Amino acid sequence: TETTPPTVAISSPAATHYYATDIGSATVSGTASDTQNGIASVIWRNEATGGSGSCAGSTSWSASGLVLTSGVNRIVITATDGAGNPGSDWIEVTYTPPTRLMRLSGDMVFGELGVGDSSNRILRINNDGNSTLTVTAILCPSGFSAEPTTFGIVPLSSQDVTLTFSPAATQS
């Protein structure tokens, strides 16, 4: 009885055993070979999530849409040859979910203003996260305006916004 296991090689998302991403799913692909009995099946298993399934193909295989959990996901690919011998390869995909942590700072005390007067203050919007924070609108109540109102803030950076208060009516 032949007992030589098939050879399995992961080539994507990386040819090394370690890969990092901020995307919550992965596609893994590679090759499997067995010179004596051929490849009967190729399966995948994510040890972090318990997920598993069949790969598409045999000597050239792929598995897409593998759900990742935050942290290290050890994905094992196992090919079985026609004699029932298993061979495997693995990759550790480290998933760090994107974060957009907004922090605001600035003196927003405008003081007493008469109708027709205006006062400006700077509001600093900080992105303390690890992915771009996109601001699509800044909505202001009556008498207030902001500039700019749409922008992106790259990780560990900030954007200053000028807030203007111009009262349109007296209030008691």
Side-chain angles (χ1 to χ4, degrees):
T1 302
E2 191 271 316
T3 60
T4 304
T7 301
V8 179
I10 295 171
S11 58
S12 178
T16 65
H17 285 287
Y18 304 97
Y19 179 74
T21 184
D22 65 354
I23 299 171
S25 65
T27 296
V28 180
S29 61
T31 59
S33 63
D34 188 276
T35 57
Q36 296 181 9
N37 296 301
I39 301 298
S41 67
V42 182
I43 60 171
W44 64 270
R45 181 180 76 255
N46 182 339
E47 293 180 350
T49 65
S52 63
S54 296
C55 295
S58 57
T59 56
S60 178
W61 53 264
S62 66
S64 60
L66 280 63
V67 175
L68 304 174
T69 188
S70 182
V72 176
N73 293 259
R74 185 181 178 99
I75 299 170
V76 179
I77 305 295
T78 303
T80 304
D81 66 15
N85 300 311
S88 63
D89 193 11
W90 58 271
I91 185 168
E92 287 186 355
V93 179
T94 301
Y95 170 48
T96 304
T99 59
R100 293 161 194 92
L101 302 174
M102 185 170 57
R103 179 172 44 90
L104 306 174
S105 62
D107 177 8
M108 296 296 108
V109 177
F110 288 90
E112 291 187 31
L113 297 175
V115 174
D117 292 339
S118 67
S119 180
N120 295 328
R121 295 290 182 264
I122 300 296
L123 172 67
R124 177 163 287 157
I125 303 174
N126 298 276
N127 179 2
D128 295 335
N130 65 10
S131 61
T132 299
L133 170 67
T134 302
V135 176
T136 58
I138 296 178
L139 304 176
C140 299
S142 178
F144 287 86
S145 63
E147 185 63 37
T149 58
T150 60
F151 47 88
I153 307 172
V154 297
L156 306 178
S157 188
S158 65
Q159 171 71 48
D160 286 348
V161 175
T162 301
L163 295 179
T164 302
F165 177 48
S166 300
T170 47
Q171 295 189 7
S172 51

